[in-house]
Structure formats: C-alpha cells, structure tokens
Amino acid sequence: MYHRERKLGRGVALVGAGMSKFGVQPDKTNRDLVVEAFADLKHSVDKGLDPDDIEAFYLGNFGAEMWEAQSVIATLSATWLGLTPKPAVKVEDACASGAVAVRQGILAIASGLYDIVLTGGSEKMSALPTEWTTTALGFGSDTAYEASAGFTFPGLYAAMASAYLHKYGVSHDEMLRVAIKNHSNGALNSKAHFPLTIRDFMKMRAAKAKEKGQPVPGWADELEFLNDPTYNPVIAWPNTLFDCCPVTDGAACALLVAEEIAGNFTDKPIYIIGSGHASGHDIHDRDTLTSIPATRLAAREAYEMARVRPQDIKIAEVHDCFTIAEILAIGDLGFFEEGKEAAEAAGAGKTTRDGIKPINVSGGLKCKGHPVGATGVAQVAEIFQQMRGEAGQRQVQTDTDLAVTHNVGAHGTTVVVQVYERR
Amino acid sequence: MYHRERKLGRGVALVGAGMSKFGVQPDKTNRDLVVEAFADLKHSVDKGLDPDDIEAFYLGNFGAEMWEAQSVIATLSATWLGLTPKPAVKVEDACASGAVAVRQGILAIASGLYDIVLTGGSEKMSALPTEWTTTALGFGSDTAYEASAGFTFPGLYAAMASAYLHKYGVSHDEMLRVAIKNHSNGALNSKAHFPLTIRDFMKMRAAKAKEKGQPVPGWADELEFLNDPTYNPVIAWPNTLFDCCPVTDGAACALLVAEEIAGNFTDKPIYIIGSGHASGHDIHDRDTLTSIPATRLAAREAYEMARVRPQDIKIAEVHDCFTIAEILAIGDLGFFEEGKEAAEAAGAGKTTRDGIKPINVSGGLKCKGHPVGATGVAQVAEIFQQMRGEAGQRQVQTDTDLAVTHNVGAHGTTVVVQVYERR
C-alpha cells in the first residue's frame, strides 16, 4: 500500500469560535441558528473580524432535508451571513458533519487557496415528532442493512454497550456515572441544553411529585435516582434515558486562518497541529463492538501529525452521544485502557473537571445537547475557550497547552480527531 | 476587502475517469451506480490503479435522503468500493455537488495531505413518482421563499428564460435549437440516457401513430416537431418538455493525483490548471435574470488561475439542465456575448461538434441525463476522454489543449468552473 507521512502544506490557526444557545428552539431555523453562532464568534475575535475578509465557508449539516425540507443549507446560510458570493460547501457525514467541515476548512487553507475560512455546523431537529426524528436519524445508519432490520441509534449503541459490559464485567452504573459527570460539567454551561446536574433533576422530580400530592421520593444519591425506572426508563437496554443525549437545535462556528496571519486577529491563537480522519464499517460488518476502529486510526493520524502522545493531552471533548460512547472514546483515544479502566474513569474521578484528564468539560453531547451537524464545531468552540482561559465558571484549572476534539459520525462510520496547541 | 491571488499549493492531474450508464435503472441503488462508475474508471487508468493506493474519497450527492432514505452515502459507497477506512466525505451543493466534490479533491491534494484522491458523484432519482421528485428537487431552492411560493425548477428557469427572450428579442426556437444540437451529440454517446437525435424521436412518434392507426404526422423539420404541443408539451412557459433535462439515475468518478506522480498512472495526464467556485443569491434576491453572476465569478477565478482567456478554450461541457441554462452559460463563460449572440450560437452552428466552440459534445445534461450529484463529475469524464482523443465516434476533431467544465447548483446559487490542459 502506497504510504507517506501526513503533513499539511502550511499551518492553520483557530482565531475565533462561537455557538448559539443549544436547546429546543421552535422559532428558529438552521439559518437563524448559524447567524446566532456567527454573531457569538465575532465577539470572540480579539482584534475584530471584517466578514468581507472571509474567503470560503464550510457548513456541516446532517438533515435539513428531513427537518426543514431544505438542501443547499450552506449557500443559504452564507447568504444570511452576508458571505455571498464566497464559495459555500455543505458536508455531510452524519454526526461527524461538523468536524468534517472544520477539517475541510483546514485542508482549504493548507492548499494555499485561502487564508481565512469560516467553518460551521448546524442542526434544527425539534421540528418533527420524536418518532419521526428517530427515523430521520436512522438515515445515518445503513438503511439497507441496519435501519430496515429495526435498528435505531439507541439500539446500535446498546449493542456496543451490552458487548462492553459483558466482555469486561462492567456494571451499567459506570455508564450512568458518565452522565452524572457530564451533567455536573454542563450545569456550569449556560448554553447547554440542560444546564442541570443530576441532583437538580432529582429536586425537580421530587418537587413535581409533591406538587401532585404524590409521595415525595427519597433517593440516597444520583445512582439510586438513575436506577429508578419510573424516572429514568430504559430506551434500549442498557441505554436508559439518561444514557442518551437529547434532541437539540443549535449551531456553532469556528474561524480558521493561515498560521502566518493569525496575529492579525489575536495575540492568543490556538494552533491546529494534528488532524486525523478515518471511516469505518457499519456495525453489521465490524470486527469488534467494544472499540470504534475509526477512532483509533484517526487518533493515530492526528497524534503523528502533531508529534504528541495521548498522555500529553490535557483535556478533550469527546463524542458522548450515549454514555458508552465516551467510554469507547477514551479507550480508543489512548487515554485509558479499553475495559474496566476506561469504564471506571468517570466514577473514579479521573475524567472529572479536577481529574487527571478532564473529559467533556462543556457537558458533552449528553448535557450540552447534540444538534448533529453542530456538535463537532461546538467541541472546537469549547477547546478554544478553555485553552485561552475564557471558559468562565467551567474553566479547567489545568494548564492546557494541548487538547483534543473527537467527533464520531453515526455508529463509528466516520471519525475526526484533532489536536490543538497553545504556544 | 482582503484579497490575494488564488493559487494552489501544488499542481493536480486527472489520470482516470469513468461513469455508469445514465438512465432509469430501477434495480440499482446509489451504491451500485458508484461501483459501476468506479469499475469504468479503473479501465481508464493506463498503468493500472491499486484501489489500496487511494487515500481519500469525496462524493457529491444531492438527495439520497429523499430518494433512498439514506444519508452518509459517501462512507457507505466507500465501503462498497473497498476503500474503508479511508476518509470519505459527502458534499452537497444541489446540482453542483459533483464539481464541488472534485474541487474538494483538488484542494485536498494541494494541501499536501494526500497524493491520490478519488472523487465521484451519484444520484438515484427514479425511485419516486415524478411529482415527488419535483418536490424533492425543490429542496434545492429556498424552501422558505421560493418552493413555498410555488416555484419548481422548471419554473425558476422559465423565469430566467422568459426574461432572456423578452430582453433580447430572441425566439423560443433558439432554445429548441440547443436541444436539437445536444441530442445530435448525445446520440453518439452510448452511456447517454437518450442516445437519440430529435429526428429519432420524430420517427418513434410517427411509428407509434401508425401503430395506433392514427394519421401519421409529417413534420418539415425538428423545429416543427418541437413546436407541436401534442408531442412537446409546455412544462413551464417557455420551457417545453424538450427544453428540460430528464430525471436520470447515474454516477461518475474522477481520479486526481499530485502532478509530480501523474506519470505513475499514465503518460497522458490531463492537468487541472484552473478552478473557480462562487455562490449566488437566490432568484428572489438577484440583480439580473439574464445572467448567472456566480458563473462569471467562478470563471474569472478559474481563468486567472489558469492564465487563459475564454477564447483560448477549445471545448466545454456546460450545465444545460434547461436549454436556457446553456445559453446563459456560454454568455457568462465569455464564449459568446450575452443576448442574441449567445442565444443563436447553437442555431448558427457555432457550438455544434464541428463549430468554432463545441459545447456539450457529450450530449449535455439535456440528452445524456442529469443525475444531480453525478453531473459535475460526468463532465470531467467527458473532458478527460475528449482531451485524450478517446471519445470514439463523438470525438471532436479540434486539437483540444484547453477545455472547461461548468457545473451549476440549483438556479445559480453555486457554480464551479474548471480549466483543463493537455501538455
């Protein structure tokens, strides 16, 4: 097989990032959300941004066709941003659409063709009833072999989760501890879909019971609450409601520029020093259910390009569309060993905000929400803020000189891993 | 406004191209069509292609969501081509999805990240009833302002056509002469959806009348036939049936490599020396209806990069989704003057196979068919064959050292123009 070292023709810096509020927003379209995210990004560019200087636009979006009867969402969004006639490209790789858009922006700058590229991602998902949304999301699996056999995404990840629990003798409680951690993080993120800890949910449920004159439930702790099927029903065993990310509307943007002009925008650029991208087989045709091979390949490419090791990375935003997905991710990214170590990392405090490797300090997809096309770009926005020390009350105290984003398409058919450096 | 010369970091060569049969193919999915196009491409690579050497895959596709309930068609197609785990990216910009995919392949190579990239496009459109297909195609317009106001694509192009005929005092017959020319070309293309001249259609209709015992119609010439509403009904005035391209299933592929390794694949590479890409406003928000501004901008970028002038170009494949679209294209590309000159070019024999500037020698979208995502790549495949003198019975006798492809998304919201050189 033909092989050569993966190296970009020139360096790329991240000089601005922003996101819309994540949540159910009945009065907003994809275009509104992109406009909101871009407005947020503009505030983040220290020395200011003249939108006329943007040379090209890449937008990740999974399903405006299904939720808005709308294709060409990149060119339409570009018009609403005032970017027309700049080239606008929509990329779609399911839930990795956002990171793939960012990566195409990186390649476009490295190609020498552009110096200043706006990347973004958006998804408007709340416009259809939940069962239709589940069907639309199923378009991201193999319609011929998976969706048609009855698989939905909670089911696909349940297959991976049950294999993991069985193979490594891990308890479902370890999955729930990922949810507890990510809600603890996201409670500090005002843009999160549910800026609430699990304790907040417990209080809300207890208050509701009291209001209805029902006996007020008393749970010893979060785990007891999450193991109460009245309040946390099973969706697809072992995935309970709180193992699943919500259905969210939202958008995010990231501004990339050629390294040599980064100083025109900020004195604190973040450099994207590694980018890896791999595809994977569908679940019916994969060698393992306890690892996502495309994550391992994309991570290897990104680490080699960046000349870093997993242990050098201080924080990471990883793709936790389901709690098991975070456990798979931190194993495949080389942060923890696949099996008990990865599964128990959240519960053992290793991946909490004050742990040795804080994971999903934004709240992750689980708590922040997962507007499919936006997710990969929102991860970039979080890393941008954290590395610049601008994350407010959720700022990690670690000295974050190296960070990673990890965005998964579908059940592992696309993965993009990127490495960021603060110099 | 920040400006600099558009220049690629390194040169890109086209060393192989192929396409599936274009037509209504009820037993084939998008994936089948991509496999067929890739098999055809492999035969075109003079020194052979080991698929393992392909480093990345870009696929243009407009609407597998609508016609196959399938997103992620790039990764699924990559698996069927045996390319997994190579990165696979789907791009969507309506009818320009194919050329945008090719352009992303060019950028990816120029970035230094890859040396060998497969690009492709596909569309499976015949799986729904015609009225649903018209609705699905409408997703490519602005759903909020155009489709919802009753516009369909025949209507959008009818608005441009009626403005053109009115402004320049041109007859609808000039549009029909584009159809006559393109069917004359496509009749020589065995992969075309309708490899038939207009005279062939006349004979078929006459034979059918005779078979039914009806009076056999006698038309003096093609124009009289095309002006007979019994046989060529109005779809959206002035667009008649024969002004519109058909609804077609098909796929195409193009293999791009870094210029310096082109010799590993062929001694007759074609160099892509210019690439331009621009977006445009929707029709309700555009300054002119008799020009597509994005074509002019994309052409300028491509010509400047290639350091050529429109008059240097020997042949071109342009986007004739409707006959008026070819008239708009050859004006906006600078081949003929907008107005009477462009409108009368086909009728005057200037754009025929033996004319001064052969246009759409493949048969164009009108005759070859327009599987939306495939079109931009099929244009590349035609240029590849013509420039290498391998187009068989439809080979243009011009010494084609410079050629152009022109692919339009929707009603001009995306345009990609590329310049090819044979050295």
Side-chain angles (χ1 to χ4, degrees):
Chain A
M1 189 191 280
Y2 180 90
H3 184 81
R4 66 185 183 77
E5 197 191 354
R6 300 255 174 262
K7 208 173 150 220
L8 291 168
R10 55 179 187 155
V12 175
L14 174 65
V15 296
M19 58 183 276
S20 73
K21 173 78 178 97
F22 275 19
V24 172
Q25 301 177 74
D27 57 338
K28 296 208 167 175
T29 64
N30 268 297
R31 283 179 256 184
D32 294 308
L33 295 163
V34 172
V35 166
E36 186 182 332
F38 182 62
D40 191 49
L41 176 146
K42 277 198 282 184
H43 291 298
S44 78
V45 183
D46 298 331
K47 301 184 184 178
L49 168 66
D50 179 350
D52 273 352
D53 290 345
I54 296 168
E55 298 172 282
F57 178 51
Y58 287 85
L59 182 73
N61 180 275
F62 169 64
E65 291 84 352
M66 287 84 89
W67 285 290
E68 291 188 337
Q70 186 67 72
S71 304
V72 295
I73 194 66
T75 49
L76 291 174
S77 297
T79 294
W80 282 37
L81 295 179
L83 300 181
T84 308
K86 311 299 173 65
V89 177
K90 183 185 106 183
V91 301
E92 187 275 311
D93 274 293
C95 312
S97 301
V100 173
V102 173
R103 183 168 153 105
Q104 296 319 304
I106 294 170
L107 266 57
I109 290 173
S111 78
L113 204 63
Y114 307 119
D115 287 344
I116 304 170
V117 173
L118 180 68
T119 62
S122 77
E123 212 74 54
K124 166 71 184 182
M125 307 177 70
S126 69
L128 291 175
T130 304
E131 60 273 26
W132 288 27
T133 288
T134 301
T135 300
L137 286 166
F139 291 13
S141 69
D142 188 328
T143 298
Y145 294 92
E146 293 175 335
S148 57
F151 260 124
T152 59
F153 271 92
L156 288 160
Y157 275 91
M160 292 189 255
S162 54
Y164 206 99
L165 299 188
H166 173 76
K167 180 169 175 185
Y168 295 113
V170 168
S171 146
H172 173 240
D173 283 356
E174 303 301 347
M175 290 166 55
L176 293 173
R177 287 187 173 103
V178 173
I180 295 168
K181 168 182 72 72
N182 288 354
H183 273 281
S184 158
N185 289 341
L188 304 174
N189 186 349
S190 62
K191 289 196 172 168
H193 189 156
F194 293 111
L196 301 166
T197 63
I198 298 297
R199 288 223 170 253
D200 292 331
F201 280 100
M202 292 160 68
K203 282 180 210 155
M204 283 164 59
R205 296 287 185 268
K208 194 139 209 165
K210 197 175 170 184
E211 192 187 305
K212 289 186 178 173
Q214 294 166 349
V216 177
W219 304 284
D221 58 13
E222 290 102 321
L223 268 186
E224 197 178 317
F225 167 71
L226 292 173
N227 276 306
D228 185 338
T230 309
Y231 297 92
N232 186 27
V234 171
I235 303 296
W237 181 256
N239 284 329
T240 63
L241 182 64
F242 275 89
D243 286 297
C244 307
C245 66
V247 170
T248 305
D249 306 324
C253 289
L255 183 65
L256 310 180
V257 306
E259 194 172 296
E260 64 268 25
I261 63 163
N264 297 349
F265 298 88
T266 178
D267 294 328
K268 300 193 294 178
I270 302 300
Y271 299 92
I272 306 181
I273 59 170
S275 177
H277 180 180
S279 67
H281 289 278
D282 276 308
I283 207 168
H284 66 273
D285 197 20
R286 199 179 286 168
D287 296 332
T288 171
L289 289 177
T290 58
S291 161
I292 289 185
T295 294
R296 293 181 180 245
L297 291 169
R300 191 175 69 186
E301 182 186 354
Y303 294 154
E304 281 180 7
M305 191 186 295
R307 300 186 184 282
V308 300
R309 300 161 305 168
Q311 55 268 41
D312 302 327
I313 305 301
K314 299 294 168 56
I315 63 169
E317 290 285 307
V318 309
H319 196 91
D320 62 323
C321 48
F322 298 91
T323 52
I324 190 66
E326 176 167 318
I327 294 170
L328 292 165
I330 61 176
D332 290 330
L333 289 166
F335 298 154
F336 299 95
E337 204 182 324
E338 179 184 322
K340 270 191 186 297
E341 192 187 58
E344 293 169 359
K350 293 176 181 168
T351 55
T352 50
R353 224 161 38 251
D354 56 356
I356 52 163
K357 186 88 79 182
I359 300 289
N360 284 330
V361 291
S362 68
L365 287 58
K366 172 66 201 83
C367 170
K368 190 178 57 186
H370 179 28
V372 170
T375 284
V377 191
Q379 293 177 326
V380 176
E382 179 69 17
I383 291 301
F384 181 72
Q385 288 197 324
Q386 290 286 348
M387 294 187 93
R388 288 162 46 106
E390 297 167 349
Q393 54 178 349
R394 70 180 186 286
Q395 180 65 47
V396 171
Q397 291 314 314
T398 313
D399 182 39
T400 308
D401 56 343
L402 287 169
V404 152
T405 56
H406 163 259
N407 190 198
V408 177
H411 38 323
T413 50
T414 296
V415 176
V416 175
V417 173
Q418 295 190 142
V419 180
Y420 306 80
E421 183 185 34
R422 192 196 62 210
R423 286 176 193 159
Chain B
M1 188 191 279
Y2 181 91
H3 184 80
R4 64 185 184 78
E5 199 192 353
R6 299 256 174 261
K7 207 175 149 215
L8 291 169
R10 56 180 185 154
V12 175
L14 174 66
V15 297
M19 59 183 276
S20 73
K21 174 77 178 95
F22 275 18
V24 172
Q25 302 177 72
D27 57 336
K28 295 208 168 176
T29 64
N30 268 298
R31 283 178 255 184
D32 294 308
L33 293 164
V34 172
V35 167
E36 185 181 333
F38 183 63
D40 190 48
L41 177 146
K42 276 198 282 185
H43 291 299
S44 78
V45 182
D46 298 331
K47 299 185 183 177
L49 168 67
D50 179 350
D52 273 352
D53 289 345
I54 295 169
E55 297 173 282
F57 178 51
Y58 288 85
L59 182 73
N61 180 272
F62 169 65
E65 292 84 353
M66 287 85 89
W67 286 289
E68 290 188 337
Q70 184 68 72
S71 304
V72 295
I73 194 66
T75 48
L76 291 174
S77 297
T79 294
W80 281 37
L81 295 179
L83 299 181
T84 308
K86 311 300 173 67
V89 177
K90 182 185 106 182
V91 302
E92 186 274 313
D93 273 296
C95 313
S97 301
V100 172
V102 172
R103 183 169 153 105
Q104 296 319 305
I106 294 170
L107 266 57
I109 290 172
S111 79
L113 204 64
Y114 307 119
D115 286 344
I116 305 170
V117 173
L118 181 67
T119 62
S122 77
E123 211 73 52
K124 166 71 183 182
M125 306 178 70
S126 69
L128 291 175
T130 304
E131 60 274 26
W132 289 27
T133 288
T134 301
T135 300
L137 286 167
F139 290 14
S141 70
D142 187 327
T143 298
Y145 294 91
E146 294 175 335
S148 56
F151 260 124
T152 60
F153 270 92
L156 289 160
Y157 275 91
M160 292 190 255
S162 53
Y164 206 98
L165 299 189
H166 173 75
K167 181 170 176 185
Y168 295 112
V170 169
S171 146
H172 174 240
D173 283 356
E174 303 301 347
M175 290 166 54
L176 293 174
R177 286 188 172 104
V178 172
I180 295 169
K181 168 183 73 73
N182 289 354
H183 273 281
S184 157
N185 289 340
L188 304 174
N189 185 348
S190 62
K191 289 195 171 167
H193 189 157
F194 294 110
L196 300 166
T197 63
I198 298 296
R199 289 222 169 256
D200 292 331
F201 280 100
M202 290 160 70
K203 281 181 210 154
M204 284 163 58
R205 296 289 185 267
K208 195 137 207 169
K210 195 174 170 183
E211 194 187 304
K212 290 187 177 175
Q214 295 166 346
V216 178
W219 303 284
D221 58 12
E222 289 103 320
L223 268 185
E224 195 177 318
F225 168 71
L226 292 173
N227 275 304
D228 184 338
T230 309
Y231 296 93
N232 186 29
V234 170
I235 302 297
W237 181 255
N239 283 330
T240 63
L241 182 64
F242 274 89
D243 286 298
C244 308
C245 66
V247 169
T248 306
D249 305 325
C253 289
L255 183 65
L256 310 181
V257 306
E259 194 173 295
E260 63 268 24
I261 63 163
N264 297 349
F265 298 89
T266 177
D267 294 329
K268 299 193 295 177
I270 301 300
Y271 299 92
I272 306 182
I273 59 170
S275 177
H277 181 180
S279 67
H281 289 279
D282 276 309
I283 207 169
H284 65 275
D285 197 20
R286 200 178 285 169
D287 296 332
T288 171
L289 289 178
T290 58
S291 161
I292 288 184
T295 295
R296 292 182 180 243
L297 291 169
R300 192 176 70 185
E301 182 186 353
Y303 294 155
E304 281 181 8
M305 190 187 295
R307 301 185 185 281
V308 299
R309 300 162 305 169
Q311 55 266 42
D312 301 328
I313 305 302
K314 299 294 169 52
I315 63 168
E317 289 285 306
V318 309
H319 196 91
D320 60 324
C321 48
F322 297 91
T323 52
I324 190 66
E326 176 167 317
I327 294 170
L328 290 165
I330 61 176
D332 290 330
L333 289 165
F335 298 154
F336 299 94
E337 205 183 323
E338 179 184 320
K340 270 191 186 299
E341 192 187 59
E344 293 170 357
K350 293 175 182 170
T351 55
T352 49
R353 225 162 35 253
D354 56 355
I356 53 164
K357 186 88 78 180
I359 299 289
N360 284 331
V361 291
S362 69
L365 287 58
K366 173 67 203 84
C367 169
K368 191 178 57 187
H370 179 28
V372 170
T375 284
V377 191
Q379 293 177 326
V380 176
E382 179 70 16
I383 291 300
F384 181 72
Q385 289 196 324
Q386 289 286 349
M387 294 188 94
R388 287 161 46 107
E390 295 167 349
Q393 53 177 352
R394 70 181 187 287
Q395 179 67 44
V396 171
Q397 291 314 314
T398 312
D399 181 39
T400 308
D401 56 344
L402 286 169
V404 153
T405 56
H406 163 259
N407 190 197
V408 176
H411 38 324
T413 51
T414 296
V415 176
V416 175
V417 173
Q418 295 190 141
V419 181
Y420 306 80
E421 184 185 33
R422 192 196 63 210
R423 287 176 192 160

